């Protein structure tokens, strides 16, 4: 019989999000500054008789805008990790909003991560010869922090019942 959420013991409940340092207000300010400078360059070249440069200046502004928008869209990615006495549940949300869910038996899971982490180090949870990469959008230090928290939660999960507080 499944345990209700009220009765389920939670060992880890974490949401991983990509870091973005530019706020929407900052984005508006950057785009206003770029548009102002690009327009000044374009108008000055247009007045000097080199009218095609004005079009390319506008195209640069437009391309920068779309690059930022793609970056903001990618920031909607998310991974939610929840370890309870029922198992390890990993929910991934893609930038387009579609989500997928994986439920794993945590008893034999291994947390694999280089310590100290390298730039290319991955956080992998492995079981039965298969692995799942977590937090690929995090910095190596953040991945190591998540790996240690997940390993600590798995250790508490595996502890004998009389040792659990």
């Amino acid at each position: 019989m499944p345990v209700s959420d009220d009765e389920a013991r939670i060992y880890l409940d974490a949401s991983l999000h990509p870091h973005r340092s530019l706020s929407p207000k900052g984005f508006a300010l950057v785009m206003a500054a770029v548009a102002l400078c690009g327009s000044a360059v374009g108008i000055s070249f247009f007045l000097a008789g080199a009218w095609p440069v004005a079009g390319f200046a506008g195209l640069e502004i437009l391309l920068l805008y779309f690059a930022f928008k793609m970056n903001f869209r990618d920031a909607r990615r998310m991974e939610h990790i929840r370890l309870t006495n029922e198992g390890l549940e990993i929910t991934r949300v893609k930038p387009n909003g579609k989500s997928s869910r994986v439920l794993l038996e945590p008893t034999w899971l291994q947390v694999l991560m280089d310590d100290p982490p390298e730039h290319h180090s991955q956080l992998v949870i492995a079981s039965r010869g298969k692995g799942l990469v977590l937090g690929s959008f995090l910095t190596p230090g953040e991945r190591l922090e998540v790996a240690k928290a997940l390993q600590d939660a798995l250790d508490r999960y595996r502890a004998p019942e009389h040792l659990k507080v």
Side-chain angles (χ1 to χ4, degrees):
M1 182 169 151
V3 179
S4 71
D5 282 343
D6 295 337
E7 299 172 18
R9 183 167 187 167
I10 299 172
Y11 298 95
L12 179 70
D13 193 2
S15 292
L16 310 178
H17 301 273
H19 175 70
R20 296 297 187 261
S21 59
L22 189 63
S23 67
K25 183 180 179 181
F27 168 68
L29 291 173
V30 167
M31 284 309 300
V34 168
L36 183 66
C37 293
S39 297
V41 169
I43 289 171
S44 65
F45 274 93
F46 181 79
L47 294 175
W51 56 268
V53 175
F56 284 107
L59 183 61
E60 284 179 340
I61 296 167
L62 192 62
L63 288 175
L64 184 63
Y65 173 81
F66 283 121
F68 271 118
K69 282 300 185 181
M70 286 176 49
N71 183 286
F72 284 134
R73 181 179 184 270
D74 188 56
R76 288 186 270 181
R77 247 190 321 170
M78 190 262 303
E79 292 178 356
H80 186 213
I81 304 167
R82 183 176 167 98
L83 176 61
T84 65
N85 51 1
E86 292 186 345
L88 178 68
E89 180 182 336
I90 299 167
T91 305
R92 290 185 166 157
V93 179
K94 295 180 180 180
N96 63 4
K98 292 185 180 180
S99 66
S100 62
R101 185 174 154 242
V102 178
L103 188 60
L104 301 169
E105 167 55 45
T107 305
W108 306 110
L109 280 179
Q110 292 178 301
V111 179
L112 308 172
M113 175 75 191
D114 297 333
D115 189 7
E118 303 278 328
H119 176 71
H120 62 277
S121 297
Q122 292 183 325
L123 167 55
V124 178
I125 53 172
S127 180
R128 299 179 186 174
K130 295 183 180 181
L132 181 65
V133 177
L134 293 177
S136 60
F137 47 80
L138 300 174
T139 66
E142 291 170 334
R143 285 193 294 266
L144 181 61
E145 188 178 323
V146 171
K148 287 180 178 179
L150 182 56
Q151 184 62 56
D152 181 54
L154 285 170
D155 290 344
R156 284 185 280 118
Y157 170 85
R158 294 176 185 146
E161 197 62 40
H162 68 280
L163 295 178
K164 294 180 182 177
V165 181

